[in-house]
Amino acid sequence: MKNRRKFIQLSAAMGVGAFLPLQFCSPKKEEDTDGGEQETLLSASKETLAAFGIQLYSVKENMAENASETIKSLADYGYKQIEGFDGGKGIFWGMKNTEFKNLTDDLGLDFVSSHVNTYQDLDRIAAEAGEIGMKYLINPYVGPQKSMDDFKRIADDFNKQGEICKKNGVKFAYHNHGYTFVDFDGQIPQDYLLENTDPDLVDFELDLYWVYTAGYDPLEYLAKHPNRFKLGHVKDKESGIEKSEPNGSTLVGTGVLDFSSIIRKAKDNGMEYFIVEQERYVDISPMEAAEKNAAYMKGLEF
């Protein structure tokens, strides 16, 4: 009661409508249905992503027809980052690395990363990527293996490839598919790769779709390996189809994955880049889907 009188005296001294220091603020009280009072706690403010990207493979046919115009359209949709792939013309789509960089810079896009065959000509590609300030070169696929010994060799390969990337000023990462979650006599290859690669040389891109399809909870997996997944593929799975179905991606936010919770957990565990990907289209074109996915990402709160 004594403290309440001090609070009233202080409020009067400051004048009606004056701003109180935070330590003097109290929750707003409202009358409940019984005529009493109840406190309405102020909810924590939500965040939105300042920037997000798209994996250009999502619009691969359009890229093959006209890479420059496709990228311009993606910038108009609201993407601020792009992740490339080699569509047969190299990761710079027939341009010099500096020409491609000028194109993306003029559009306000950050060419963050690219999927590339890191087993072929990596020294040259890493040098060109580092020259224009790319953040990552990503191995997107090694394929199913016959034994854990194969994955042990791959872990050694990744460390060596990470060294090549590092000396050229770019980082190396590996993008998972479902096959790295197949159990080999009690060992999960994805876990082995995470635990037996040098964190100073090898990062990982977590494809949320493939984690879910493999039967794992993305939230639990992010918490299990904090600060190893620096990039993530924001890819949704259509509801009403088999969980293990490999070809079931759909518009982001319309499927089964709770991206609000996942992105919150991902950011809390060190993820920096969120890259939209979609590979399956029903009654919608890839570019229309890319536009809708960008709108969803702009409004996503977490």
Side-chain angles (χ1 to χ4, degrees), residues 102-165:
N102 289 336
L103 169 65
T104 57
D105 281 354
D106 289 345
L107 295 169
L109 290 170
D110 184 4
F111 187 24
V112 171
S113 54
S114 184
H115 287 191
V116 64
N117 182 357
T118 56
Y119 284 87
Q120 184 176 345
D121 206 11
L122 182 59
D123 287 275
R124 177 187 62 80
I125 297 171
E128 293 178 348
E131 183 183 1
I132 61 171
M134 288 178 63
K135 310 299 190 301
Y136 281 95
L137 290 177
I138 302 170
N139 183 304
Y141 191 81
V142 294
Q145 304 296 310
K146 295 180 179 179
S147 70
M148 276 304 301
D149 286 338
D150 294 324
F151 282 107
K152 291 175 182 178
R153 285 191 290 270
I154 289 169
D156 292 337
D157 292 342
F158 285 174
N159 284 324
K160 294 173 184 176
Q161 292 167 7
E163 288 178 348
I164 293 172
C165 288

Side-chain angles (χ1 to χ4, degrees), residues 63 96 141 149 170 195 198 203 212 217 228 237 271:
M63 287 295 295
K96 293 181 179 179
Y141 191 81
D149 286 338
V170 66
E195 294 162 2
D198 186 343
D203 286 330
Y212 174 83
D217 183 344
R228 291 310 305 276
K237 179 112 185 205
M271 190 173 289

Side-chain angles (χ1 to χ4, degrees), residues 30-38:
E30 297 177 348
E31 284 193 2
D32 61 23
T33 55
D34 297 324
E37 289 184 336
Q38 61 180 4

Side-chain angles (χ1 to χ4, degrees), residues 55 92 106 165 188 199 227 293:
Q55 164 54 248
F92 306 113
D106 289 345
C165 288
I188 303 300
N227 299 312
N293 286 335

Side-chain angles (χ1 to χ4, degrees), residues 63 67-68 85-100:
M63 287 295 295
S68 296
F85 74 103
D86 188 339
K89 300 178 181 179
I91 64 173
F92 306 113
W93 293 87
M95 307 177 212
K96 293 181 179 179
N97 61 337
T98 50
E99 291 174 338
F100 195 82

